[in-house]
Amino acid sequence: MKNLSKLQQILDSGQFAVTAEIGPPKHSSAEGIRHHAEMMRDYVDATNITDNQTAIVRLSSIAAGVHVLNCGIEPIVQMTCRDRNRIAMQSDLMGAYSLGMRNVLCLSGDHQKFGNHPTSKNVYDIDSMQLIYYLRRMRDEKLFFSGEEIKEHEPRFFIGAVANPFADPFEFRVDRLEKKVEAGAQFIQTQCIFDMERFERFMEMVRERGIDERVHILAGVTPMKSWRAAKYIQNNVSGMIVPDELVERLKNAEDPKREGVDICIEQIKYIKENVRGVHGVHVMAIAWEEVVPEIVERSGLYPRPKVG
Amino acid sequence: MIVAQQKPVEDIAQMIADCKKVLFVGCAGCVTVCLAGGEKETEVLASAMRIKRNLENNPLEATTFTCTRQCDPEYIVPLDNLVKDVDAIVSLACGVGVQYLAERFKDKWVVPALDTKFIGGSVTHGNWEEKCGLCGDCILHRTGGICPIIRCSKSILNGPCGGSQYGKCEVSKDVDCAWQLIYDRMKALGKLDKLMEFQPPKDWSKSRDGGPRKAIREDVMID
Ligand code: SF4
Ligand code: SF4
């Protein structure tokens, strides 16, 4: 049982999972990470540790994962294709596994143009699909990406990937999800859902093909602090759709932060009750980690199941 | 063709600041087509340098020559007589031309006047776009004739990524998402199922693996 991640056990047993996100700091102290981890510990099943999110240099995802693990939370190490070639990826992931990490999330990563090192060389040696495929093969067939045999102690990760129902071309989004599942993705976290209608259409297509029976889909939600934040995402973040009504609702609210949390809780409840095929939620409270326990509790997802 | 762009005049002037006599060598190949290093640009650059140096009271003797191609040894032979007493050679060819000159004229200071950018073609007059990343193992038959290696900002072979929206790439609203283009074209061709096939990682040993690549055609070798 030691090899199975807690997240996998919860999902495989058919329970509704809750994951959150911790963004490592732009410095080398783990104090903040530990603070957030302790706060979230009893409220989530695992937490993503972002990997130089938006191409901004931050404390390493794997190192942060160790701190989180020491606080008693299961980390989901994020691995982007932007910064490492296939040699570095395998080495880092074997290292992560040796340190006790059991979940990995494979992403292509935001382009370096948006970060604090826009003149860096982008690597993109392999893409996220290939990363998923080869990590699965590493585990199931004991082979390095090159095809060379791993004599012993192959890393046995629970493999995750992302899906963005709000990017284009829309019809291809489900194809790509299916392709990721075929490649070996076992759980999927979606991009933040603001446009529920589109998400439901997406899930309808997913169910039609029975993909929800082959992979665990966790719906991504994000509490917004202000209408300005909503407007910013609406206008400036590609691959995201924020409906005007949502911006308006935050604008008209007396206490926008409260409203943001309320909206997020409504979304979770709605998804859990109405959108078939969703197996959990992924709460991305970007730079607002403190609010996660409240969201989980008020959504009726507390206490979390015990496993192992 | 190879697309290149001239460096700022100030930068070129810096490279030859301490020279009295300089030969400017253009190329009648790609850089003529992209209006960066042909005969005309060579003359213009040489005269700009002369004027600049005159204004600085430090006259420059600038001569010019335009090779048919700087990337072929036979075409740089005529330079033998022209380079004899110059302090430097400024090449207006792509990086290959600069290196060919440096190799042949071992005792001369050879500097580049252009930045060699990419291989591509013209979109409209005066507007060129990169189309190929010279990967050494073309996969255009699998991607509807659109190159994801170079036209997708993340070189994704199993795209499109989550940043693709309204047909544009996440890096800029001015950049088409290559995978949207690939999708549209494969759809029009009735070949969408091809995109469901897993594309393996690129074999970069055929591209940039750290050494120069070679191409041999024994049938056309002379000895
Ligand atoms: S696949 Fe390779 S050779 Fe073909 S166009 Fe793209 S970069 Fe050039
Ligand atoms: S938006 Fe399209 S072109 Fe840009 S990185 Fe993503 S898949 Fe590639």
Side-chain angles (χ1 to χ4, degrees):
Chain A
M1 230 27 192
K2 192 169 143 269
N3 276 333
L4 272 198
S5 84
K6 175 178 165 189
L7 180 63
Q8 180 167 13
Q9 291 177 57
I10 289 179
L11 285 166
D12 284 354
S13 65
Q15 299 180 81
F16 198 81
V18 178
T19 57
E21 198 157 281
I22 292 179
K26 285 171 79 176
H27 54 62
S28 43
S29 161
E31 219 172 292
I33 304 167
R34 280 197 291 262
H35 168 69
H36 287 143
E38 306 225 311
M39 207 182 58
M40 286 185 199
R41 181 173 50 218
D42 299 327
Y43 296 87
V44 302
D45 306 321
T47 169
N48 285 30
I49 315 293
T50 53
D51 179 19
N52 298 314
Q53 198 176 3
T54 58
I56 289 172
V57 176
R58 291 171 181 279
L59 190 138
S60 117
S61 173
I62 294 166
V66 176
H67 298 300
V68 167
L69 200 59
N70 288 340
C71 294
I73 294 203
E74 195 171 271
I76 300 170
V77 171
Q78 290 195 182
M79 177 60 62
T80 69
C81 299
R82 178 193 57 230
D83 307 324
R84 301 168 177 82
N85 74 359
R86 60 193 93 169
I87 299 174
M89 278 187 177
Q90 292 176 80
S91 161
D92 281 357
L93 286 173
M94 287 195 296
Y97 196 84
S98 78
L99 289 163
M101 269 144 256
R102 293 296 176 262
N103 310 298
V104 62
L105 189 82
C106 309
L107 321 125
S108 50
D110 300 311
H111 196 268
Q112 77 277 3
K113 182 185 164 176
F114 301 108
N116 58 358
H117 290 72
T119 56
S120 63
K121 183 168 193 224
N122 74 17
V123 183
Y124 295 114
D125 176 24
I126 57 173
D127 62 32
S128 58
M129 191 78 67
Q130 293 157 350
L131 179 57
I132 295 163
Y133 181 91
Y134 286 106
L135 276 178
R136 191 213 23 91
R137 199 176 71 156
M138 220 177 192
R139 181 192 62 210
D140 298 347
E141 296 169 40
K142 300 188 188 193
L143 297 173
F144 286 108
F145 292 9
S146 63
E148 189 196 310
E149 181 196 358
I150 305 174
K151 295 241 163 57
E152 52 185 348
H153 305 302
E154 71 287 353
R156 308 192 59 76
F157 281 111
F158 184 43
I159 302 169
V162 293
N164 185 357
F166 312 102
D168 291 320
F170 180 62
E171 313 86 73
F172 195 66
R173 290 295 142 190
V174 183
D175 290 338
R176 188 156 144 90
L177 167 62
E178 184 163 29
K179 211 172 154 181
K180 283 185 175 174
V181 176
E182 299 267 291
Q186 296 165 287
F187 71 99
I188 299 287
Q189 291 172 329
T190 77
Q191 178 62 283
C192 318
I193 300 158
F194 299 116
D195 183 345
M196 193 58 76
E197 205 185 285
R198 176 128 160 188
F199 179 63
E200 292 201 77
R201 264 198 291 146
F202 174 82
M203 284 307 297
E204 207 175 289
M205 289 159 77
V206 165
R207 288 191 304 266
E208 261 165 33
R209 299 204 208 168
I211 303 172
D212 58 314
E213 281 152 31
R214 290 151 60 203
V215 73
H216 301 294
I217 297 175
L218 279 70
V221 291
T222 288
M224 278 191 290
K225 278 185 179 166
S226 67
W227 72 269
R228 275 181 208 285
K231 197 82 199 162
Y232 179 82
I233 297 173
Q234 188 178 53
N235 293 333
N236 300 303
V237 184
S238 63
M240 292 230 207
I241 299 179
V242 181
D244 288 332
E245 305 87 80
L246 218 153
V247 181
E248 283 306 308
R249 197 173 147 188
L250 284 164
K251 208 173 199 170
N252 298 330
E254 239 165 71
D255 182 348
K257 282 170 98 175
R258 286 279 89 226
E259 194 74 6
V261 172
D262 288 349
I263 294 172
C264 185
I265 293 165
E266 280 169 32
Q267 284 175 326
I268 296 176
K269 286 184 173 162
Y270 183 85
I271 291 167
K272 187 164 183 280
E273 274 148 39
N274 302 296
V275 190
R276 268 185 307 119
V278 175
H279 304 173
V281 279
H282 176 51
V283 187
M284 285 170 271
I286 306 146
W288 198 12
E289 282 92 345
E290 285 74 16
V291 80
V292 172
E294 183 193 340
I295 291 176
V296 174
E297 200 161 356
R298 287 181 48 209
S299 302
L301 297 169
Y302 183 82
R304 302 303 311 144
K306 297 260 174 290
V307 291
Chain B
M1 67 169 156
I2 289 181
V3 179
Q5 256 169 11
Q6 225 170 80
K7 286 178 180 286
V9 167
E10 200 50 55
D11 291 5
I12 303 170
Q14 275 288 324
M15 296 177 196
I16 52 167
D18 55 358
C19 304
K20 296 282 173 224
K21 203 171 168 198
V22 173
L23 174 66
F24 290 81
V25 188
C27 176
C30 308
V31 294
T32 294
V33 185
C34 66
L35 311 174
E39 190 174 359
K40 186 170 147 229
E41 292 80 27
T42 307
E43 293 301 339
V44 172
L45 180 64
S47 89
M49 287 298 152
R50 270 184 227 115
I51 295 167
K52 185 170 171 16
R53 291 280 290 264
N54 273 339
L55 289 172
E56 291 164 1
N57 277 329
N58 180 20
L60 174 75
E61 201 182 311
T63 50
T64 62
F65 184 82
T66 299
C67 303
T68 302
R69 278 199 299 279
Q70 274 187 46
C71 58
D72 247 330
E74 60 183 287
Y75 293 116
I76 58 173
V77 172
L79 292 174
D80 287 1
N81 293 321
L82 302 171
V83 304
K84 280 205 183 92
D85 54 349
V86 300
D87 305 319
I89 308 172
V90 174
S91 167
L92 286 89
C94 70
V96 182
V98 183
Q99 295 186 54
Y100 264 59
L101 296 187
E103 212 168 283
R104 184 167 184 95
F105 307 113
K106 294 201 168 19
D107 56 344
K108 293 294 172 195
W109 178 234
V110 180
V111 298
L114 307 187
D115 290 318
T116 309
K117 312 224 42 146
F118 52 79
I119 72 166
S122 47
V123 185
T124 52
H125 197 71
N127 179 2
W128 294 272
E129 211 166 78
E130 184 169 22
K131 293 283 188 226
C132 168
L134 310 157
C135 79
D137 183 14
C138 197
I139 54 155
L140 287 176
H141 56 297
R142 289 193 247 141
T143 55
I146 293 150
C147 175
I149 307 278
I150 214 66
R151 295 177 67 185
C152 162
S153 306
K154 300 177 188 170
S155 296
I156 297 175
L157 298 184
N158 291 281
C161 83
S164 170
Q165 211 168 25
Y166 311 122
K168 298 296 172 188
C169 173
E170 73 171 38
V171 303
S172 159
K173 293 194 169 42
D174 299 329
V175 177
D176 289 332
C177 168
W179 274 97
Q180 177 75 55
L181 299 175
I182 293 169
Y183 178 81
D184 292 345
R185 183 145 159 77
M186 291 302 254
K187 191 173 179 180
L189 292 170
K191 289 188 188 298
L192 275 184
D193 53 311
K194 278 229 158 214
L195 295 186
M196 290 304 283
E197 288 167 18
F198 175 77
Q199 299 292 342
K202 200 78 195 136
D203 174 358
W204 290 112
S205 71
K206 294 176 176 173
S207 178
R208 275 167 286 177
D209 70 336
R213 289 176 275 174
K214 292 187 193 316
I216 309 274
R217 280 269 311 262
E218 287 189 8
D219 56 330
V220 295
M221 285 180 164
I222 292 165
D223 43 39

